[in-house]
Amino acid sequence: MKKLTLTSAAMLEQSIVDPVKRRGNRQSRVPEIIDVSINVLIAAGYAGYTINRVANDAGIRLSTLQHYFPSREALLRATIEEISRRYLERFRHFAENKTHSPQARLETIVDDAFVELIKPGLPASIFESWGLALHEPFARDVVVEMQKQFTRLFAELVGEINPQLSSAERELRGALIMSSLEGLVVFLRWSNDSASKLKTYRNAVKVVWSGLSRADD
């Protein structure tokens, strides 16, 4: 048997494993970090948000986090985009469900909004995103772009309900529905009304959105 020589340097090289390699690749690591980032944004608010806390709550080194997101801005941008994407994909799932009529799909979005927007957790992150957008241009750009995508989604659905409308009119009505949805985010966040009252409001929103979609040009 050959003589085996162990040095402290060799032992350290084997014990200090790159956290990125040890704990996952980019496909698994990035979503994990963003999930933690969303939770920190909700818990601490945009003013108290730090990448150090995200790294700590994620159980990783700051240098590991910065391997994927080199700055607070980069991580917050990805976080806001993910928050918006989740709601956009949720509503798109309903809007593009061709097994139901366009009108039924629009009403399903209303029903879902009244369930999802009163839940604790993720809805609060919408307010933090808006608050950040008031102070940070990069956040404003993200919020405005996502608002355009939501408006486009509603405009396309309006076009299915009322094909005679011009593209400009569809876009206008999509924007009006989007503004109503943004109002719902605020209203439902602070509402302590009974379930029966919320049901009345929900039906009223359906009437308003339907009227916007069906009215003549």
Side-chain angles (χ1 to χ4, degrees), residues 15-57:
S15 62
I16 302 177
V17 181
D18 186 344
V20 175
K21 294 179 181 178
R22 177 171 57 84
R23 302 193 63 177
N25 56 28
R26 185 175 187 86
Q27 286 70 31
S28 62
R29 174 61 70 204
V30 169
E32 291 172 2
I33 292 174
I34 291 179
D35 278 341
V36 174
S37 179
I38 291 173
N39 291 334
V40 171
L41 183 62
I42 294 169
Y46 70 86
Y49 177 100
T50 66
I51 59 174
N52 296 76
R53 175 165 175 178
V54 175
N56 182 68
D57 287 6

Side-chain angles (χ1 to χ4, degrees), residues 88 91-92 95-96 98 102-103 105-106 109 146-179 181 209 212-215:
L88 181 63
F91 293 152
R92 179 176 285 132
E96 296 180 352
K98 303 298 184 179
Q103 181 65 38
R105 284 179 257 155
L106 187 66
I109 292 175
M146 295 309 298
Q147 187 181 56
K148 290 178 181 178
Q149 293 191 40
F150 277 97
T151 296
R152 193 174 304 120
L153 175 70
F154 286 121
E156 291 172 356
L157 195 51
V158 168
E160 288 190 61
I161 295 172
N162 198 344
Q164 291 77 28
L165 295 176
S166 65
S167 58
E169 192 65 27
R170 296 177 188 182
E171 188 76 13
L172 172 61
R173 298 185 190 203
L176 290 172
I177 292 174
M178 178 57 192
S179 67
L181 178 61
W209 287 18
L212 285 171
S213 302
R214 293 182 175 279

Side-chain angles (χ1 to χ4, degrees), residues 23-170:
R23 302 193 63 177
N25 56 28
R26 185 175 187 86
Q27 286 70 31
S28 62
R29 174 61 70 204
V30 169
E32 291 172 2
I33 292 174
I34 291 179
D35 278 341
V36 174
S37 179
I38 291 173
N39 291 334
V40 171
L41 183 62
I42 294 169
Y46 70 86
Y49 177 100
T50 66
I51 59 174
N52 296 76
R53 175 165 175 178
V54 175
N56 182 68
D57 287 6
I60 59 176
R61 298 175 181 173
L62 180 60
S63 59
T64 301
L65 185 150
Q66 291 175 320
H67 173 78
Y68 300 105
F69 302 100
S71 66
R72 177 177 183 270
E73 176 179 323
L75 181 53
L76 273 171
R77 177 186 290 273
T79 300
I80 297 172
E81 288 175 342
E82 176 61 17
I83 293 166
S84 299
R85 186 198 64 79
R86 291 183 185 184
Y87 282 110
L88 181 63
E89 291 304 311
R90 185 179 188 89
F91 293 152
R92 179 176 285 132
H93 170 75
F94 298 124
E96 296 180 352
N97 184 359
K98 303 298 184 179
T99 62
H100 299 292
S101 69
Q103 181 65 38
R105 284 179 257 155
L106 187 66
E107 293 184 0
T108 299
I109 292 175
V110 176
D111 288 333
D112 187 69
F114 269 80
V115 172
E116 289 300 313
L117 295 178
I118 63 175
K119 290 181 177 179
L122 193 61
S125 67
I126 301 174
F127 289 92
E128 297 301 334
S129 299
W130 289 349
L132 185 64
L134 291 175
H135 302 280
E136 299 284 355
F138 81 87
R140 180 185 181 279
D141 290 343
V142 174
V143 169
V144 169
E145 175 56 33
M146 295 309 298
Q147 187 181 56
K148 290 178 181 178
Q149 293 191 40
F150 277 97
T151 296
R152 193 174 304 120
L153 175 70
F154 286 121
E156 291 172 356
L157 195 51
V158 168
E160 288 190 61
I161 295 172
N162 198 344
Q164 291 77 28
L165 295 176
S166 65
S167 58
E169 192 65 27
R170 296 177 188 182

